[in-house]
Amino acid sequence: MILIIGGAVYFSLKEGTYDITQTRVIAAPPEVIYEQIEDFKEWENWNPWFKDEEIKTTIGIPTQGLDANYSFIESYGNGKITITGLEPNKSISMNRFYDNGITSSNSEVMIVLEQVKDGTLVSWNIKGEQGLLDKAMATVFGFHMEEEITPKYKKGLENLEVIVIKNMKVSSSSVDGIIETGGGYFLYMSSSAKKENFQELKTQMLQNIMSYMQRNKIDMYGMPRVIYEKINPYDGNMIFSAAIPVQNREITATNSNILCSYQEPGKTVKVTLKGAYSNLEEARKKGEEFIDQNGLVRSEEAPYEVYKTDPMLTPNPANYLTEIYLPIQ
């Protein structure tokens, strides 16, 4: 009796509260990371517990949304994780129930996404309270929550980063063949750029044109584009125009750096790219090879790209859609 009472007192005085967090900054938008954490079906790709051959996991139905869950069986016991709260692109809350055959417990698990300068700060946390029997068994079997969970949370976030970055790099391109393009007016700005600062400068120029159009109540009559006036084949530096189609000829101020021009109808080889803009050069080469293989003659008109998706509304670069037009005679 003395031993039982003494043991109860001893274990009751041991710290039983746990609050464990691991963080990692991933160079990706919160929306892209959220796709991987809000659906348990995706957890198979990055969660260490799913990859552990000694743990049997079973995903419930549905796999995402409130009350979505998965259960697991391991050597120490079994448990179930259930989604209890969701804030799209910001956080997911879960309840973790665990039963070791003698006692059971509940923990609160959260994954929080916070947009930061270099991407998204991902915080993975679990907290709860061990009961008397839990503390006794943990001491007897040498089980420590922090030692068990911290390395797996760390590895899980590393795996998550690999999966997210890989998914953002997925791309495909195809030559659609020869098409006739219609003519039309467009507002444009011209500049020269080095290869490394082209994307940033292009974005700024298109934003300037859009602001001009909003101030002057001019409607877009097509998707934004870039016209490549000249590209240096050795270093990739270029002279280009950022342009937005308009319905009618627009008269701009004499001292304005935004001008209006007309694109003549013509024949082009069209290439479609689905993926990040870093794949544009490779996609363009497919079009150039098509021209050479089919004995076509390039026109003196400048090649151009049409951006069918808005990066501000399309978080994952793998979903960008760009059309490349290579004029021919």
Side-chain angles (χ1 to χ4, degrees):
M1 182 64 71
I2 293 173
L3 288 174
I4 294 173
I5 295 173
V9 171
Y10 171 76
F11 289 119
S12 67
L13 294 175
K14 287 182 69 68
E15 177 63 45
T17 300
Y18 52 91
D19 191 343
I20 305 164
T21 301
Q22 279 292 299
T23 63
R24 189 174 188 86
V25 174
I26 299 178
E31 293 88 344
V32 180
I33 301 172
Y34 186 76
E35 292 175 358
Q36 294 296 319
I37 68 171
E38 60 94 23
D39 190 340
F40 285 137
K41 188 171 56 180
E42 302 295 338
W43 284 39
E44 296 176 325
N45 300 322
W46 59 269
N47 189 300
W49 281 278
F50 277 76
K51 295 179 175 292
D52 192 330
E53 294 181 355
E54 296 182 0
I55 300 176
K56 181 181 178 181
T57 58
T58 304
I59 301 176
I61 298 175
T63 64
Q64 60 187 138
L66 287 177
D67 298 325
N69 63 83
Y70 76 86
S71 56
F72 60 91
I73 301 173
E74 59 177 11
S75 56
Y76 293 112
N78 61 81
K80 185 177 183 179
I81 291 184
T82 304
I83 296 178
T84 56
L86 293 160
E87 192 172 358
N89 306 321
K90 292 185 178 180
S91 67
I92 174 173
S93 305
M94 293 158 282
N95 172 260
R96 178 184 183 272
F97 170 78
Y98 190 77
D99 187 343
N100 58 26
I102 299 175
T103 182
S104 61
S105 62
N106 286 280
S107 307
E108 180 185 344
V109 180
M110 283 198 72
I111 302 179
V112 177
L113 308 179
E114 180 186 353
Q115 191 160 10
V116 295
K117 181 181 178 182
D118 297 322
T120 301
L121 174 65
V122 185
S123 302
W124 195 358
N125 171 267
I126 182 171
K127 61 183 176 182
E129 178 77 31
Q130 288 180 308
L132 184 62
L133 284 175
D134 290 322
K135 289 188 283 186
M137 292 187 67
T139 302
V140 171
F141 292 105
F143 179 85
H144 301 283
M145 287 288 288
E146 188 145 358
E147 292 178 4
E148 173 70 18
I149 290 177
T150 297
K152 287 196 172 181
Y153 272 17
K154 182 178 180 181
K155 181 61 177 175
L157 293 178
E158 291 173 357
N159 293 343
L160 179 62
E161 179 176 34
V162 171
I163 291 296
V164 167
I165 298 303
K166 180 181 177 180
N167 287 348
M168 290 173 63
K169 291 182 178 180
V170 172
S171 71
S172 62
S173 59
S174 61
V175 178
D176 301 325
I178 301 171
I179 66 166
E180 296 282 347
T181 59
Y185 291 102
F186 58 88
L187 291 174
Y188 72 98
M189 293 179 68
S190 298
S191 181
S192 60
K194 293 183 178 180
K195 188 176 181 179
E196 54 269 23
N197 69 353
F198 164 69
Q199 290 296 340
E200 182 179 358
L201 182 57
K202 173 204 75 175
T203 300
Q204 291 175 352
M205 292 165 66
L206 288 173
Q207 288 175 346
N208 289 340
I209 298 171
M210 288 181 184
S211 296
Y212 175 88
M213 293 172 67
Q214 289 173 355
R215 290 195 306 271
N216 292 276
K217 298 181 180 180
I218 302 171
D219 295 328
M220 291 177 58
Y221 206 62
M223 300 304 291
R225 60 195 61 193
V226 160
I227 303 165
Y228 293 95
E229 315 292 352
K230 187 175 182 181
I231 301 178
N232 189 319
Y234 301 105
D235 57 18
N237 295 343
M238 66 198 77
I239 298 173
F240 73 99
S241 297
I244 298 178
V246 292
Q247 186 171 9
N248 303 304
R249 182 186 178 192
E250 301 290 339
I251 307 299
T252 61
T254 305
N255 59 349
S256 175
N257 57 359
I258 296 175
L259 304 173
C260 186
S261 187
Y262 182 79
Q263 181 181 42
E264 297 289 344
K267 189 182 295 185
T268 70
V269 169
K270 178 187 174 186
V271 182
T272 299
L273 167 69
K274 184 178 182 182
Y277 297 143
S278 57
N279 300 293
L280 279 167
E281 186 174 347
E282 181 182 347
R284 193 180 300 116
K285 285 180 180 178
K286 284 188 177 182
E288 298 287 355
E289 290 172 359
F290 179 88
I291 290 174
D292 293 336
Q293 291 168 359
N294 289 276
L296 303 174
V297 180
R298 293 168 177 78
S299 165
E300 293 183 359
E301 296 294 322
Y304 60 96
E305 299 164 354
V306 177
Y307 307 111
K308 305 296 286 186
T309 49
D310 183 348
M312 298 296 291
L313 303 176
T314 312
N316 192 344
N319 295 325
Y320 291 178
L321 191 63
T322 309
E323 295 174 349
I324 302 167
Y325 294 87
L326 306 173
I328 57 174
Q329 295 182 8

